[in-house]
Amino acid sequence: MATYDEIKAKLQGSMTALVTPMTADGAVDYDALARLIEWQIECGTHALVAAGTTGESATLSMSEHGDVIEFFVKRVAKRVPVIAGTGANNTTEAIELTAHAKAVGADFALLVVPYYNKPTQEGMYQHYKTIALAVDMPQILYNVPGRTVVDMAEDTVARLADIPNIVAIKDATGDLVRGKALIERVGERLVVLSGDDPTALELMKFGAKGNISVTSNVAPKQMSKIFSLALEGRFDEAAAINKDIHHLHKELFCESSPQPAKYALHKMGLIDIGIRLPLVWLSSNGQCIIDGALQKANLISSSIK
C-alpha cells in the first residue's frame, strides 16, 4: 500500500477542475465528457477534478454526482489521478459522496468549505475531521471564501494537518501573502495547491506544488507546460507561456463560473450549450469578452463569429 508521502507526490502540476458538459435540456452529456477527458489527458493535464464546484456539483443530484465520478474513474483508467469533488454543506452528505468516491476508485476527495451555513472555525474543523475519520481515503481541503462566504483560518488548517488522510489544501483565496504564510506553516505536512489561476504561478515560487484550474478547461496544453516548467524551477520560461494566456485567468470569470468556461468550450466546438439553473448561458456581452479572449489566445480563429 502506498504511503501518504507517495500519495501526496501525485498532487502536482496542472489539474483541471473540469466542467460537466450538458445537453441543451440540462442532461449530463457523457459522450462530450469522454471527449473532454481524452483531450485533457492528450494535452498533458496532470490530474482531473470530477464533479467539483466548476463541474456544477451544487446542482447535480446525489445519484448524478456519484455517476459522474464513477464515469471519470472508468474513463481515465489510472492514466492520471482523479480528484473527486465530494464537498457539501451537509456533513452526512459529504461522507456519503466521499465514501462512494472511494468505492469507485477515485484517488482523492476534494471537499469545499461548507457554504451557506457559515460554520465557525470549530464547526469547520469538526466537519472535516468527521469526514476524514469516516472515510479512509486521501482528502483535500478547499478554501474559496469568495464562493462560500466563510473563510478557513490558518489555525484551523494547521489543526486539520494533524489528521493523516488530510493530505492537501486547495487555496483559492488569491492572496499571495496568506498563501506564502500557509506554505511556511503547513507545507511540510500538507501539499499546498493554488485554486486561483491569476496568482498560481507566483504561489508556486513560494512552494505550492500545482494549480487546480479553470483556465486549463480551455487551454490545457499551455497550462500543462506552464506548471511542468514551474515544477522544474524554470519560472521565466513558464511566465513567457503564461503571458500569452494570462488574460484568460480573468476573463473566464467575467460572469459566474462556469458560465464563461462552458461558453468557451462550446465556441471551440467541444460541448453543447447545456447549463443548469440558477446559472444561465453566458450573456451577449460575456460572449463578446470570451470571443476576444479566445482569439487573443489563438484558441479560435478571428474569422469565427
Side-chain angles (χ1 to χ4, degrees):
M1 181 177 176
T3 67
Y4 275 112
D5 284 341
E6 291 169 333
I7 290 167
K8 290 176 184 178
K10 297 180 180 180
L11 286 172
Q12 60 178 11
S14 179
M15 294 164 265
T16 303
L18 203 63
V19 304
T20 301
M22 297 171 182
T23 55
D25 63 0
V28 176
D29 186 345
Y30 286 101
D31 289 339
L33 181 55
R35 291 194 296 271
L36 286 184
I37 289 170
E38 293 304 321
W39 181 54
Q40 287 283 329
I41 293 173
E42 288 167 8
C43 288
T45 296
H46 298 99
L48 288 168
V49 178
T53 50
T54 303
E56 296 175 79
S57 57
T59 53
L60 295 175
S61 70
M62 284 287 284
S63 60
E64 287 175 321
H65 200 136
D67 289 346
V68 168
I69 291 169
E70 186 170 3
F71 184 88
F72 263 85
V73 172
K74 290 179 177 177
R75 187 76 193 193
V76 170
K78 298 297 182 183
R79 289 176 288 173
V80 296
V82 172
I83 301 168
T86 62
N89 66 341
N90 176 329
T91 305
T92 299
E93 184 176 303
I95 290 170
E96 291 175 6
L97 289 168
T98 306
H100 176 78
K102 178 184 178 181
V104 299
D107 298 284
F108 299 91
L110 176 66
L111 294 124
V112 69
V113 168
Y115 43 87
Y116 186 79
N117 306 37
K118 297 182 72 173
T120 62
Q121 295 301 313
E122 183 62 24
M124 286 184 226
Y125 173 77
Q126 294 297 338
H127 171 80
Y128 281 110
K129 178 183 177 182
T130 300
I131 299 165
L133 293 179
V135 186
D136 184 17
M137 75 177 295
Q139 299 180 20
I140 305 168
L141 311 174
Y142 175 14
N143 189 32
V144 57
R147 295 294 286 249
T148 62
V149 182
V150 286
D151 188 354
M152 185 160 33
E154 187 180 305
D155 286 347
T156 304
V157 178
R159 290 177 69 194
L160 289 167
D162 289 332
I163 299 172
N165 60 321
I166 293 178
V167 298
I169 179 168
K170 175 185 175 184
D171 174 20
T173 64
D175 185 330
L176 288 171
V177 174
R178 282 188 61 180
K180 182 174 183 288
L182 186 65
I183 291 166
E184 290 172 348
R185 184 161 181 186
V186 302
E188 294 298 316
R189 294 184 290 160
L190 296 180
V191 176
V192 177
L193 303 169
S194 176
D196 180 67
D197 285 310
T199 59
L201 191 55
E202 289 300 310
L203 193 63
M204 286 194 71
K205 292 179 181 178
F206 298 131
K209 301 301 182 185
N211 179 35
I212 295 179
S213 171
V214 172
T215 300
S216 60
N217 273 279
V218 302
K221 186 175 292 185
Q222 296 92 323
M223 292 294 279
S224 172
K225 186 64 175 175
I226 289 165
F227 290 95
S228 293
L229 288 167
L231 286 167
E232 297 172 6
R234 297 160 65 184
F235 288 104
D236 289 344
E237 294 170 70
I241 300 171
N242 192 50
K243 185 178 179 180
D244 292 333
I245 62 167
H246 76 279
H247 60 285
L248 289 171
H249 304 332
K250 177 183 178 182
E251 288 160 347
L252 285 170
F253 288 87
C254 66
E255 293 182 16
S256 296
S257 182
Q259 290 175 191
K262 279 198 152 182
Y263 171 78
L265 288 167
H266 175 65
K267 191 75 175 185
M268 294 165 70
L270 294 168
I271 65 172
D272 203 345
I273 61 170
I275 199 163
R276 288 193 180 174
L277 291 170
L279 297 182
V280 294
W281 199 240
L282 199 64
S283 70
S284 296
N285 182 60
Q287 290 180 26
C288 289
I289 292 171
I290 296 303
D291 288 348
L294 294 175
Q295 290 167 12
K296 185 177 178 180
N298 294 313
L299 294 172
I300 63 170
S301 169
S302 59
S303 64
I304 296 176
K305 301 296 183 184

